[in-house]
């Protein structure tokens, strides 16, 4: 009797796990970690783990913003250069003598402006988000070049670069911050009216509008969040590198999208979540790191990541179809 | 009837769908060079018959036989039907607005020169095709630059490219102005002399009287009557279309009071896709507390647009909305909702439910503001509100967290009604509330409407189904030619379907 109940609840737990949107990414991550660890036991060693956490953090920060954008049915290709611009602006401010906290606020204000422009124009003129944010990508890149003339901002005050070395209970500060950001993102999207509205707008924009939801406000808000997090990531990256480089952030727009997709957020809008994005970001970085540990040629990494993106999406579609059939 | 003139003979056609028989042994003939009008209510079997004829339902999927020139037709598909001389102009004509007129007309048959399109030859062919319809027009301009009347002509030119002997037109004039309609009808009469047989589906009786050589009425899957031109009679045709209706379960109770709840004043709305045309001009009427008001009019008479404009879903040229004696904004759905107005849209899949959300999430969408406490949504309160209405409306689903997509059409519709009830709506705009809804759920929706009005709410209903309007409404606003042609009070003297149909058409014919 007791035995029976046990298998019953185990089966139930399995079904619940299976129906989780994140099940595929959890299985993939665990299997991948174990296989790499078997071949090279330095993979899960303390130094590599710290390394992995650190590199995951930057991606997680931008990917959180991307999650909001994707769920609302939009996409943000400007993340890469906005991230670079954030680092450059902040470092210009502090090398110019501005207090750090104030510089951070000003940079975030500029990020807010960028998000506002993107969201407003996208909604008002019905510009396809891909085009609008591609334009913004070029604009931000242009501003970087105008400000820096291609030269990195260097040297930076030690009070700033030292922040990178801070660790809490052995965990790098940036990882703690990234997790806090993700947690806040999770709460906002799951527990607030704004979060619910983002899902509604992404699921059916017209229905949302006819239900009294201010679609324009939601568009602006998700782009503001994305730009702010991108710029914040750029600042953190500058602290890490010790200088603000004009090329910082390149590739982060696509990596963020990939992290979201692998984490089960739909590119069509209306579904997904931060929990999946956390796992997705971890998986993307672990894949790059793990392939190195497996001594796989660097040139093969992107090919493998590409395959995993497609597999994750296929898995998601297949699972949804199975669920629909059952009903 | 001489045999040699018979072009198409339908012999005992049956078509069964799971649970429904759409055609119950239909037999009739069409002749060379005649215009036959196919009439009947929605679901009478007209479209099924047309689908069979033009190959959408291929041979083998229906019973019976169709003979063309004495030979069994047996189309394997739409392409095969076109090859056999049957051309169809669908209700929603598909014009690619960015292609040129010539490209549109020749779509699918672009003449080639090697691997490239032979543009001069294509333009020449298209020009000739339009000339045949007495249209001298620059075929190299983009299709978006011309009116929908020209679009309709383009669709006809395209259909005529295959040199058909039978031309099927499905409500071709619903998007046309009166002048364009005249032109189209004249063209059809011309085609008659070329021996082409036109099968003309319409709800507009005045057009039937203008051009049809014969009227054919369908009802409940059977052919009810055929009249030659000289024997056509409006009253008789309407009686044939409507038929004898059995008593239904829902019994209407009038809860209407004398207080005006909502006042529409001078609404003018631009036509959605005909440039420069007003679909509605200067429309005014009142809605009373506890009233169920029906808006009756033909397809394209601006019924839905009126509701959508008042709700702020689409822009309007002018018009004021007064609620309880105060002017209120009518340009933003959020404001309309604040004033307690709700809109159940015509196509729930398009702008009704959010398909990625659960039943409950769809229900609470309009009351999110009320559920917000501090920074967060009060999820306990949300759950309680959802559960209350989930039970009250008796939605058939395992729970309120079930995805809305897994529900039947009727239950999806009930969820959307519940959404507006949760906001304590004072005024409900229902646009085709029972479209794609099964009979059981229909009755439930009618009863809900009755309960609502009993509690002082007011309802405006738009429906293509006259039986439905007759059944539930206290009064009717008849829309025709872009204005209110009549307001009918059915409280003292009940209005029959036939009366209503005559009013809709009669008003149209005067114009």
């Amino acid at each position: 009797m007791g035995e029976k109940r046990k298998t019953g609840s185990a089966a139930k737990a399995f079904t619940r796990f299976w129906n989780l949107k994140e099940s595929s990414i959890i299985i993939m991550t665990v299997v991948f970690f174990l296989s790499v660890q078997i071949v090279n036991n330095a993979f899960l060693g303390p130094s590599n783990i710290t390394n992995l956490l650190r590199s995951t953090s930057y991606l997680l920060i931008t990917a959180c913003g991307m999650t909001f954008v994707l769920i609302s049915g939009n996409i943000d290709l400007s993340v890469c250069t906005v991230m670079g611009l954030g680092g450059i602006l902040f470092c210009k401010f502090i090398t110019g003598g501005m207090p750090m906290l104030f510089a951070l606020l000003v940079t975030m204000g500029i990020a807010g402006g960028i998000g506002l422009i993107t969201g407003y124009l996208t909604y008002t003129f019905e510009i396809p988000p891909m085009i609008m944010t591609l334009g913004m990508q070029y604009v931000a890149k242009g501003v970087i070049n105008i400000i820096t003339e291609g030269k990195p901002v260097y040297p930076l005050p030690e009070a700033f670069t030292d922040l990178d070395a801070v660790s809490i209970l052995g965990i790098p500060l940036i990882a703690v911050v990234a997790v806090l950001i993700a947690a806040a993102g999770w709460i906002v999207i799951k527990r607030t009216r704004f979060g619910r509205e983002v899902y509604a707008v992404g699921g059916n924009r017209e229905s949302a509008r006819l239900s009294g939801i201010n679609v324009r406000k939601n568009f602006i808000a998700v782009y503001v969040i994305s730009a702010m997090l991108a710029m914040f990531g750029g600042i953190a990256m500058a602290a890490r590198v010790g200088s603000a480089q004009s090329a910082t952030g390149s590739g982060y727009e696509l990596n963020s999208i990939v992290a979201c997709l692998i984490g089960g957020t739909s590119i069509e809008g209306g579904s997904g979540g931060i929990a999946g994005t956390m796992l997705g970001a971890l998986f993307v970085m672990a894949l790059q790191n793990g392939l190195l540990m497996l001594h796989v040629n660097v040139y093969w990494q992107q090919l493998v990541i590409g395959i995993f993106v497609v597999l994750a999406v296929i898995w998601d579609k297949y699972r949804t179809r199975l669920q629909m059939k059952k009903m | 009837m001489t045999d040699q003139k018979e072009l198409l003979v339908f012999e005992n056609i049956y078509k069964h769908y799971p649970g429904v028989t759409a055609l119950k042994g239909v037999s009739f003939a069409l002749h060379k060079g005649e215009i036959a009008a196919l009439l009947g209510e929605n679901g009478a079997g007209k479209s099924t018959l047309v689908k069979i004829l033009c190959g959408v339902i291929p041979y083998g999927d229906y019973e019976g036989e169709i003979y063309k020139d004495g030979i069994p037709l047996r189309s394997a598909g739409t392409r095969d039907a076109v090859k056999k001389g049957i051309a169809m102009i669908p209700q929603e004509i598909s014009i690619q607005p960015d292609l040129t007129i010539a490209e549109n007309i020749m779509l699918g048959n672009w003449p080639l020169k090697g691997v490239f399109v032979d543009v001069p030859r294509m333009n020449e062919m298209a020009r000739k095709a339009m000339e045949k319809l007495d249209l001298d027009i620059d075929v190299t301009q983009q299709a978006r630059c011309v009116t929908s009347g020209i679009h309709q002509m383009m669709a006809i030119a395209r259909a005529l490219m295959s040199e058909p002997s039978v031309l099927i037109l499905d409500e071709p004039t619903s998007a046309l102005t009166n002048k364009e309609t005249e032109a189209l009808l004249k063209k059809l009469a011309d085609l008659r002399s070329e021996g082409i047989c036109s099968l003309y589906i319409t709800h507009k009786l005045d057009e039937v009287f203008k051009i049809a050589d014969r009227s054919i009425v369908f009802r409940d899957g059977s052919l009810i009557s055929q009249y030659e031109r000289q024997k056509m009679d409006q009253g008789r045709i309407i009686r044939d279309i409507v038929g004898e209706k059995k008593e239904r379960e829902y019994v209407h109770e009038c809860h209407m009071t004398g207080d005006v709840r909502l006042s529409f004043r001078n609404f003018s709305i631009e036509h959605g896709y005909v440039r420069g045309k007003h679909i509605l001009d200067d429309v005014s009427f009142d809605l009373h507390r506890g009233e169920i008001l029906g808006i009756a009019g033909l397809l394209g008479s601006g019924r839905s647009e009126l509701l959508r404009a008042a709700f702020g879903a689409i822009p309007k040229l002018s018009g004021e909305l007064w609620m309880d004696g105060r002017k209120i904004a009518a340009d933003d759905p959020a404001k309309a909702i604040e004033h307690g107005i709700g809109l159940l849209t015509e196509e729930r899949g398009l702008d009704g439910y959010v398909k990625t959300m659960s039943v409950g999430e769809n229900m609470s969408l309009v009351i999110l503001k009320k559920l917000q406490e501090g920074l967060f949504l009060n999820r306990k309160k949300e759950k309680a509100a959802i559960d209350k209405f989930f039970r009250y409306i008796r939605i058939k689903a395992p729970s309120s967290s079930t995805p809305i997509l897994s529900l039947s059409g009727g239950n999806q519709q009930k969820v959307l009604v519940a959404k507006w009830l949760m906001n304590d709506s004072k005024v409900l705009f229902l646009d085709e509330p029972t479209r794609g809804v099964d009979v059981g759920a229909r009755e439930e929706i009618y009863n809900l409407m009755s309960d609502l009005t009993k509690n002082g709410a007011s309802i405006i209903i738009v429906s293509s189904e006259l039986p439905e309007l007759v059944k539930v409404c206290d009064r009717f606003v008849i829309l025709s030619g872009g204005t209110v042609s009549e307001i009918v009070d059915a409280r003292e003297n009940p209005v029959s379907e036939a009366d209503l149909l005559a009013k809709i058409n009669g008003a149209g014919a005067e114009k």
Side-chain angles (χ1 to χ4, degrees):
Chain A
M1 190 67 186
E3 192 64 17
K4 210 175 181 183
R5 195 185 300 152
K6 219 173 180 180
T7 54
S9 65
K12 225 179 184 176
F14 179 77
T15 324
R16 273 189 62 182
F17 173 72
W18 181 263
N19 285 338
L20 269 184
K21 186 115 179 117
E22 291 84 16
S23 62
S24 61
I25 169 71
I26 293 174
I27 294 169
M28 262 163 47
T29 314
V30 170
V31 169
F32 182 76
F33 269 70
L34 290 180
S35 358
V36 181
Q37 177 65 11
I38 289 165
V39 179
N40 184 345
N41 60 13
F43 181 61
L44 291 181
S47 92
N48 194 50
I49 285 285
T50 313
N51 204 351
L52 186 57
L53 278 183
R54 206 183 265 287
S55 56
T56 303
S57 302
Y58 304 109
L59 180 59
L60 177 56
I61 291 171
T62 55
C64 277
M66 190 64 79
T67 310
F68 278 87
V69 174
L70 288 181
I71 291 176
S72 76
N74 286 277
I75 197 164
D76 189 354
L77 298 182
S78 68
V79 164
C80 49
T81 57
V82 169
M83 186 174 176
L85 183 60
I88 300 274
L89 286 174
F90 179 83
C91 293
K92 277 278 179 197
F93 293 151
I94 58 169
T95 50
M98 204 187 269
M100 269 202 282
L101 195 61
F102 189 60
L104 178 68
L105 287 178
V106 174
T107 316
M108 287 300 110
I110 295 169
I114 291 176
L116 189 121
I117 293 169
T118 309
Y120 181 85
L121 294 182
T122 306
Y123 180 78
T124 310
F125 297 102
E126 293 176 13
I127 305 171
M130 207 178 273
I131 310 289
M132 180 62 224
T133 58
L134 193 62
M136 193 48 96
Q137 186 193 92
Y138 276 84
V139 169
K141 182 79 199 168
V143 174
I144 291 175
N145 289 337
I146 292 165
I147 295 176
T148 64
E149 295 173 330
K151 292 187 285 267
V153 184
Y154 178 85
L156 301 177
E158 273 177 21
F160 174 56
T161 51
D162 282 352
L163 282 176
D164 183 64
V166 177
S167 69
I168 297 164
L169 302 170
I171 301 166
L173 178 63
I174 184 65
V176 175
V177 170
V179 169
L180 286 178
I181 288 175
W186 187 84
I187 289 171
V188 168
I189 204 124
K190 291 290 182 200
R191 292 278 185 271
T192 69
R193 174 178 157 207
F194 163 66
R196 184 71 66 79
E197 290 185 353
V198 169
Y199 277 102
V201 167
N204 188 334
R205 188 181 307 174
E206 191 59 9
S207 298
R209 187 175 77 88
L210 297 185
S211 299
I213 292 172
N214 188 334
V215 180
R216 178 192 318 223
K217 208 173 81 188
N218 278 282
F219 268 42
I220 291 172
V222 295
Y223 282 113
V224 165
I225 290 172
S226 179
M228 283 189 170
L229 291 179
M231 283 208 164
F232 184 80
I235 295 170
M237 193 69 100
R240 173 77 186 148
V241 183
S243 68
Q245 307 279 346
S246 61
T248 295
S250 93
Y252 268 80
E253 81 285 24
L254 295 182
N255 275 343
S256 301
I257 294 169
V258 165
C260 293
L261 290 185
I262 289 187
T265 294
S266 162
I267 195 108
E268 283 146 30
S271 68
I274 299 281
T277 300
M278 285 179 81
L279 290 161
L282 181 63
F283 184 79
V284 170
M285 297 319 287
L287 197 64
Q288 295 189 352
N289 178 297
L291 291 175
L292 275 178
M293 303 293 274
L294 293 177
H295 305 291
V296 174
N297 190 326
V298 185
Y299 301 121
W300 282 78
Q301 282 182 13
Q302 285 174 333
L303 184 143
V304 175
I305 292 175
I307 291 171
F308 271 99
V309 171
V310 176
L311 283 181
V313 175
I314 291 175
W315 169 277
D316 187 49
K317 294 254 177 213
Y318 173 73
R319 202 179 42 100
T320 325
R321 210 170 296 162
L322 270 189
Q323 278 175 351
M324 288 307 291
K325 232 181 235 171
K326 249 186 264 165
M327 279 176 307
Chain B
M1 255 198 257
T2 50
D3 276 354
Q4 60 180 155
K5 273 188 76 186
E6 281 186 356
L7 182 65
L8 270 180
V9 179
F10 295 84
E11 211 174 76
N12 225 10
I13 309 287
Y14 279 88
K15 171 69 194 170
H16 304 279
Y17 287 109
V20 210
T21 303
L23 288 176
K24 301 169 183 167
V26 171
S27 304
F28 69 101
L30 292 173
H31 307 104
K32 259 181 200 153
E34 84 167 339
I35 299 176
L38 198 50
L39 299 157
E41 289 185 333
N42 297 333
K46 294 171 301 183
S47 19
T48 309
L49 183 88
V50 166
K51 277 183 191 162
I52 288 173
L53 185 54
C54 67
V56 174
I57 300 172
Y59 180 71
D61 280 3
Y62 59 91
E63 292 161 39
E65 193 78 75
I66 304 171
Y67 297 94
K68 180 163 178 276
D69 299 321
I71 306 160
L73 183 69
R74 301 188 178 177
S75 299
T78 47
R79 271 176 176 272
D80 192 32
V82 170
K83 243 186 257 163
K84 289 172 173 164
I86 291 161
M88 163 93 183
I89 298 164
Q91 191 176 351
E92 307 275 333
I93 52 176
S94 59
I95 295 292
Q96 307 295 322
D98 291 317
L99 295 183
T100 65
I101 292 178
E103 283 166 337
N104 265 296
I105 292 173
M106 303 295 297
L107 203 62
N109 300 304
W110 289 356
L112 298 180
K113 192 192 248 169
V115 293
F116 299 105
V117 178
D118 186 348
V119 178
R121 194 149 71 90
M122 177 177 73
N123 289 344
E124 183 55 26
M125 286 166 83
R127 199 182 54 76
K128 273 195 185 139
M130 288 304 257
E131 235 166 42
K132 243 191 205 166
L133 299 172
D134 293 335
L135 273 170
D136 185 15
I137 192 168
D138 175 15
V139 294
T140 60
Q141 59 182 323
Q142 273 191 345
R144 69 164 76 251
C145 304
V146 295
T147 64
S148 61
I150 304 282
H151 287 168
Q152 195 70 47
M153 290 300 182
M154 285 158 63
I156 293 174
R158 180 152 87 197
L160 292 178
M161 289 309 290
S162 60
E163 300 186 342
S165 41
V166 182
L167 192 61
I168 307 164
L169 300 104
D170 194 354
E171 299 207 38
T173 57
S174 54
L176 301 187
T177 60
N178 290 339
K179 218 176 124 198
E180 287 167 339
T181 303
E182 292 292 328
L184 175 74
L185 296 184
K186 193 182 152 286
K187 287 292 145 353
L188 283 184
D190 292 350
L191 289 175
R192 186 158 40 187
S193 62
E194 291 177 29
I196 293 176
C197 164
S198 300
L199 191 58
Y200 190 92
I201 303 174
T202 185
H203 288 295
K204 302 188 186 174
L205 289 179
D206 57 320
E207 287 173 12
V208 174
F209 288 105
K210 256 181 223 155
I211 61 159
D213 299 309
R214 195 147 55 104
S215 69
I216 302 170
V217 175
F218 273 54
R219 191 175 72 226
D220 296 331
S222 306
L223 192 148
I224 299 300
S225 68
Q226 299 186 60
Y227 301 116
E228 298 295 329
R229 181 166 186 87
Q230 57 274 24
K231 288 188 192 142
M232 281 190 220
D233 169 75
Q234 175 151 343
R236 202 153 58 172
I237 289 178
I238 289 177
R239 269 199 304 283
D240 288 339
I241 292 174
V242 175
E244 301 270 328
K245 286 282 147 74
K246 293 188 203 92
E247 284 296 315
R248 303 201 194 184
E249 279 174 42
Y250 167 91
V251 183
H252 182 64
E253 283 174 52
C254 178
H255 303 296
M256 178 173 161
T257 65
D259 309 337
V260 173
R261 165 60 32 101
L262 196 66
S263 202
F264 287 68
R265 299 195 185 162
N266 315 103
F267 268 71
S268 294
I269 304 164
E270 193 153 18
H271 198 288
Y273 40 93
V274 182
R275 289 188 311 167
K277 185 186 172 189
H278 293 186
I279 193 159
L280 287 178
D281 246 325
D282 205 21
V283 167
S284 305
F285 60 90
D286 290 336
L287 173 69
H288 299 84
R289 194 181 288 261
E291 176 179 13
I292 300 181
L293 178 71
I295 309 257
L298 293 166
L299 196 74
S301 60
R303 307 172 301 193
S304 303
E305 287 81 358
L306 180 63
L307 294 187
R308 294 179 76 88
F311 188 71
I314 57 167
K316 57 187 178 328
L317 296 169
S318 66
E320 290 178 356
L321 205 56
W322 290 66
M323 183 180 257
D324 298 328
R326 274 193 0 255
K327 188 183 163 190
I328 61 170
D331 52 5
D332 180 5
K335 284 181 199 150
I337 291 167
E338 246 168 59
H339 285 110
I341 302 177
L343 169 70
L344 189 72
T345 61
E346 188 176 4
E347 289 191 53
R348 56 181 169 272
L350 194 71
D351 53 12
Y353 56 75
V354 178
K355 65 177 189 297
T356 48
M357 288 185 142
S358 70
V359 168
E361 286 168 333
N362 267 291
M363 284 165 72
S364 65
L365 219 47
V366 288
I367 56 161
L368 288 179
K369 201 186 237 176
K370 293 179 186 169
L371 294 171
Q372 189 174 23
E373 280 176 10
L375 287 173
F376 304 104
L377 283 179
N378 184 336
R379 302 209 304 162
K380 226 187 212 165
K381 221 163 118 189
E382 182 185 17
K383 181 97 176 62
I386 292 170
D387 282 349
K388 183 179 152 203
F389 282 93
F390 188 78
R391 280 194 303 271
Y392 172 54
I393 306 239
R394 290 202 298 274
I395 293 162
K396 286 188 202 80
S399 79
S400 62
S401 56
T402 310
I404 187 132
L405 274 188
S406 62
L407 268 56
S408 70
N411 278 294
Q412 287 174 343
Q413 195 73 322
K414 286 201 278 181
V415 170
L416 293 175
V417 173
K419 164 171 141 178
W420 295 113
L421 299 191
M422 283 175 82
N423 193 39
D424 297 325
S425 297
K426 287 188 277 186
V427 175
L428 272 184
F429 295 161
L430 307 179
D431 197 352
E432 304 284 358
T434 60
R435 177 177 287 180
V437 168
D438 54 285
V439 183
R442 255 172 211 231
E443 295 297 320
E444 286 182 59
I445 289 174
Y446 297 150
N447 285 321
L448 260 176
M449 287 166 63
S450 183
D451 286 354
L452 284 173
T453 50
K454 199 176 185 174
N455 296 326
S458 311
I459 293 174
I460 301 185
I461 173 172
V462 160
S463 176
S464 311
E465 309 221 7
L466 296 182
E468 175 169 291
L469 285 182
V470 167
K471 193 163 143 182
V472 302
C473 295
D474 300 316
R475 292 192 312 147
F476 302 93
V477 167
I478 314 280
L479 286 184
S480 164
T483 54
V484 177
S485 64
E486 197 178 350
I487 293 180
V488 183
D489 197 330
R491 285 172 299 169
E492 303 281 302
N493 308 304
V495 175
S496 71
E497 266 172 64
D499 293 344
L500 205 55
L501 187 57
K503 281 182 196 303
I504 292 169
N505 274 291
E510 278 166 31
K511 284 273 150 183

